[in-house]
């Protein structure tokens, strides 16, 4: 049986998860835990996909590690937004960027683990006061996705121009992770609202008043970040990648989660007891009626009750103002504690200067050693083996094999039914080709960059 983490390793991996400060991001101890988090994330996803016993989820919940996952997600988010800009001021064109990419990937893996654990009420029960920090984190992440969609980011097909500065590529990677994390956070918010009775009243107030999640989810449903139009046709975000679809009305997971989140908030009498449906909120919520077509209700029949509620709300108008009960509200602690520790370390710029030798290293041997270590941690060979096993299984069952693997950053997508080509640089098998001329094939972005000086003239002439 294939495993990313073997049963005898699982306890050690889970117990090794611990909280770091912003100053620790990227150091050797942090990288050791990062490798374990990545493998746990891969194993958890594999267990869920194969309908196996979810041992990773059970260990994380029983060992009370979800709060640490939230802490680490906040830590990386602070590093990404406050330290990374200072590092790029020191060196706008770092020689190697994969360690920066590794940090961003770490945050995505943490959120993926939270998504899988919080699907179960037992996971929500263990959050306790850290649920306030998680609500803040998710609301901010979803808002960032709405901001990207409003700028048309998701409509721009991903084409890597290797003649651009490294900073542009870093920004592209950063936005890709913001997008994936934000869509995951829609699911997490749905799980939290579904189990809101397990939390302190402060969590309900944070959902309804601090962030107004019903309003936020209406924006999400109107902007539809899980769907885009491209030159290849309509695409939807399925299983962490953009996939061509023929049925535009088919509901995907993030869309269903957003609808269920609104449903659970608006149709819960205890939650709505103190939520004032003023004129602005009634107008915002009424936008949902235009989206609730018959095809949607056929796929999500639970929304029929929500449609009836919204129809009555439209007819009756806004409700009278509701008095807010006096409540001693708990405050989120994780981000506050991290920020205080940063202040004790001299601030974000001081941390960036201290991490200069880690993230902006010019030592080629150090860079190569780190690249080899991370490559082994990500288990790319095992992933390829699993993908090939799935393709073989599909062929045996007479199912069509997908010809659109996840974007590896090397250029355009592989064409359906296309014969396997050789990489122009290393002559290995190549599934990617130059996004501009679409004539020369590469196995990876690294090979594309090496070949660019020779390919550049011919590529521009062909365009």
């Amino acid at each position: 049986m294939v495993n990313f983490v073997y049963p005898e390793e699982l306890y050690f991996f889970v117990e090794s998860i611990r909280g770091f400060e912003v100053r620790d991001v990227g150091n050797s101890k942090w990288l050791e835990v990062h490798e374990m988090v990545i493998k746990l994330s891969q194993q958890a996803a594999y267990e869920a996909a194969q309908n196996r016993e979810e041992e990773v989820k059970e260990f994380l919940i029983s060992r009370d590690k979800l709060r640490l996952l939230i802490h680490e997600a906040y830590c990386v988010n602070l590093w990404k937004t406050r330290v990374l800009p200072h590092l790029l001021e020191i060196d706008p064109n770092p020689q190697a960027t994969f360690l920066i990419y590794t940090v961003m990937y770490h945050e995505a893996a943490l959120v993926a683990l939270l998504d899988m654990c919080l699907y179960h009420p037992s996971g929500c029960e263990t959050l306790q006061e850290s649920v306030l920090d998680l609500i803040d984190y998710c609301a901010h992440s979803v808002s960032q996705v709405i901001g990207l969609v409003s700028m048309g980011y998701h409509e721009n097909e991903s084409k890597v121009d290797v003649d651009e500065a490294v900073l542009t590529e870093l920004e592209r990677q950063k936005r890709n992770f913001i997008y994936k994390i934000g869509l995951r956070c829609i699911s997490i918010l749905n799980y939290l609202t579904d189990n809101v009775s397990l939390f302190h009243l402060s969590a309900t107030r944070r959902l309804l008043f601090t962030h107004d999640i019903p309003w936020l989810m209406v924006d999400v449903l109107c902007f539809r970040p899980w769907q885009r139009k491209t030159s290849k046709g309509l695409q939807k975000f399925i299983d962490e990648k953009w996939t061509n679809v023929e049925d535009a009305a088919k509901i995907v997971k993030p869309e269903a989660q957003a609808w269920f989140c609104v449903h659970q908030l608006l149709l819960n009498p205890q939650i709505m007891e103190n939520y004032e449906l003023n004129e602005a909120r009634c107008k915002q919520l009424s936008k949902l009626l235009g989206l609730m077509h018959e095809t949607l209700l056929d796929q999500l029949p639970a929304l029929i009750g929500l449609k009836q509620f919204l129809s009555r709300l439209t007819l009756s108008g806004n409700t009278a103002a509701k008095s807010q009960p006096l409540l001693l509200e708990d405050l989120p602690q994780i981000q506050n504690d991290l920020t205080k520790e940063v202040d004790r370390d001299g601030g974000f710029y001081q941390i960036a200067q201290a991490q200069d030798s880690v993230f902006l290293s010019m030592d080629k041997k150090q860079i190569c050693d780190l690249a080899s270590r991370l490559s082994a941690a990500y288990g790319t060979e095992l992933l390829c083996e699993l993908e090939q096993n799935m393709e073989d299984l599909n062929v045996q069952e007479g199912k069509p094999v997908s010809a659109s693997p996840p974007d590896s950053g090397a250029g355009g997508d592989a064409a359906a039914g296309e014969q396997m080509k050789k990489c122009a640089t290393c002559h290995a098998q190549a599934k990617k080709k130059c996004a501009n001329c679409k004539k020369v094939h590469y196995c990876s972005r690294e090979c594309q960059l090496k070949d660019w000086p020779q390919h550049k003239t011919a590529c521009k002439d062909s365009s």
Side-chain angles (χ1 to χ4, degrees):
M1 184 180 293
V2 177
N3 283 295
F4 292 94
V5 182
Y6 290 98
E8 58 270 20
E9 298 176 316
L10 191 54
Y11 179 82
F12 172 71
F13 275 37
V14 171
E15 282 298 304
S16 297
I17 297 176
R18 62 185 182 87
F20 288 92
E21 302 299 335
V22 178
R23 64 174 177 270
D24 300 322
V25 173
N27 68 21
S28 59
K29 294 285 187 183
W30 185 92
L31 283 171
E32 287 177 8
V33 175
H34 166 72
E35 293 174 27
M36 297 179 189
V37 166
I38 295 302
K39 289 184 178 180
L40 288 171
S41 176
Q42 292 170 337
Q43 180 68 19
Y46 183 59
E47 289 173 349
Q50 297 294 313
N51 294 319
R52 287 167 50 179
E53 183 180 354
E54 297 181 74
E55 294 181 345
V56 173
K57 178 264 296 181
E58 291 296 340
F59 267 93
L60 288 170
I61 292 173
S62 64
R63 305 307 301 170
D64 197 20
K65 294 293 182 177
L66 298 195
R67 186 185 184 280
L68 284 175
L69 296 182
I70 298 170
H71 177 281
E72 285 303 278
Y74 252 120
C75 179
V76 173
N77 189 267
L78 271 178
W79 182 91
K80 181 178 67 179
T81 56
R82 305 296 298 275
V83 177
L84 180 57
H86 290 307
L87 284 170
L88 295 176
E89 286 176 5
I90 297 171
D91 184 359
N93 294 288
Q95 185 172 345
T97 61
F98 60 84
L99 185 53
I100 297 174
Y101 174 90
T102 295
V103 176
M104 295 189 283
Y105 185 33
H106 187 72
E107 182 184 8
L110 293 165
V111 175
L113 283 171
L114 285 168
D115 184 11
M116 284 179 273
C117 290
L118 296 175
Y119 173 78
H120 306 272
S122 58
C124 293
E125 282 183 316
T126 64
L127 292 177
Q128 299 181 2
E129 73 281 354
S130 65
V131 68
L132 302 179
D133 293 277
L134 183 58
I135 291 170
D136 287 359
Y137 178 86
C138 290
H140 176 68
S141 298
V142 174
S143 299
Q144 283 188 304
V145 170
I146 294 173
L148 287 176
V149 174
S150 66
M151 295 188 297
Y153 168 75
H154 72 314
E155 297 288 355
N156 297 326
E157 295 181 64
S158 181
K159 291 185 177 180
V160 180
D161 181 356
V162 292
D163 207 25
E164 292 180 355
V166 175
L167 181 58
T168 305
E169 171 63 11
L170 275 177
E171 185 62 26
R172 187 184 72 86
Q173 292 174 349
K174 181 180 175 182
R175 292 186 180 186
N176 281 343
F177 280 119
I178 288 173
Y179 212 83
K180 291 180 179 180
I181 289 170
L183 292 180
R184 286 269 191 186
C185 285
I186 294 173
S187 296
I188 293 176
L189 285 172
N190 175 46
Y191 303 147
L192 296 181
T193 56
D194 190 27
N195 296 284
V196 71
S197 60
L198 301 174
F199 308 129
H200 190 270
L201 289 175
S202 297
T204 304
R205 287 188 59 83
R206 212 145 193 90
L207 287 167
L208 294 181
F209 302 108
T210 306
H211 299 292
D212 203 340
I213 298 301
W215 185 297
L216 182 65
M217 285 300 156
V218 173
D219 281 341
V220 169
L221 288 163
C222 290
F223 278 105
R224 301 174 65 82
W226 45 78
Q227 178 175 306
R228 70 179 185 180
K229 293 179 181 178
T230 70
S231 59
K232 299 175 184 178
L234 183 68
Q235 294 183 335
K236 291 200 173 186
F237 199 75
I238 303 172
D239 295 333
E240 296 287 301
K241 62 180 182 289
W242 290 104
T243 305
N244 288 327
V245 295
E246 295 181 359
D247 185 3
K250 185 177 180 180
I251 305 299
V252 294
K253 179 184 174 182
E255 183 176 8
Q257 299 282 19
W259 278 113
F260 287 141
C261 184
V262 175
H263 176 273
Q264 284 152 187
L265 285 171
L266 297 184
L267 298 189
N268 187 326
Q270 293 179 333
I271 292 178
M272 295 301 292
E273 185 177 356
N274 298 308
Y275 186 66
E276 180 184 350
L277 289 168
N278 54 34
E279 184 178 353
R281 283 174 174 160
C282 288
K283 184 177 179 181
Q284 175 76 349
L285 293 173
S286 66
K287 295 177 183 177
L288 295 178
L289 284 172
L291 303 175
M292 303 185 80
H293 45 76
E294 290 185 8
T295 309
L296 172 69
L297 298 178
D298 287 342
Q299 296 178 76
L300 304 175
L303 299 183
I304 294 174
L306 177 61
K307 185 174 183 180
Q308 294 171 346
F309 170 83
L310 293 171
S311 299
R312 290 195 299 268
L313 182 65
T314 304
L315 293 174
S316 62
N318 56 304
T319 59
K322 298 179 180 179
S323 59
Q324 299 298 320
L326 182 62
L327 180 68
L328 293 176
E329 185 174 358
D330 292 332
L331 295 175
Q333 289 296 317
I334 293 176
Q335 185 176 14
N336 187 47
D337 292 345
L338 284 167
T339 305
K340 285 182 178 178
E341 192 63 30
V342 168
D343 291 338
R344 283 193 282 269
D345 291 334
F348 292 103
Y349 184 72
Q350 191 69 28
I351 291 175
Q353 287 184 316
Q355 293 181 341
D356 182 350
S357 60
V358 177
F359 289 95
L360 306 178
S361 173
M362 302 293 286
D363 186 337
K364 290 186 178 181
K365 185 180 184 303
Q366 180 183 348
I367 293 172
C368 291
D369 290 344
L370 184 57
S372 299
R373 174 182 176 180
L374 293 174
S375 177
Y378 294 160
T380 50
E381 292 182 2
L382 183 55
L383 284 170
C384 290
E385 179 186 339
L386 290 174
E387 185 177 342
Q388 185 61 49
N389 289 342
M390 291 300 293
E391 289 183 359
D392 292 343
L393 182 62
N394 287 337
V395 169
Q396 292 172 9
E397 296 178 353
K399 297 178 182 178
V401 178
S402 171
S404 299
D407 180 19
S408 67
D413 295 329
E418 185 178 20
Q419 185 179 359
M420 186 61 70
K421 303 293 185 180
K422 297 293 184 181
C423 175
T425 304
C426 68
H427 306 296
Q429 288 186 339
K431 294 183 179 180
K432 297 288 182 179
K433 56 187 174 184
C434 176
N436 186 41
C437 70
K438 306 197 186 302
K439 294 178 180 178
V440 181
H441 291 74
Y442 299 100
C443 64
S444 66
R445 172 166 169 74
E446 288 70 24
C447 282
Q448 185 183 18
L449 289 170
K450 289 179 182 177
D451 188 51
W452 181 243
Q454 292 76 31
H455 177 58
K456 182 175 182 179
T457 305
C459 184
K460 291 186 175 180
D461 288 345
S462 64
S463 60

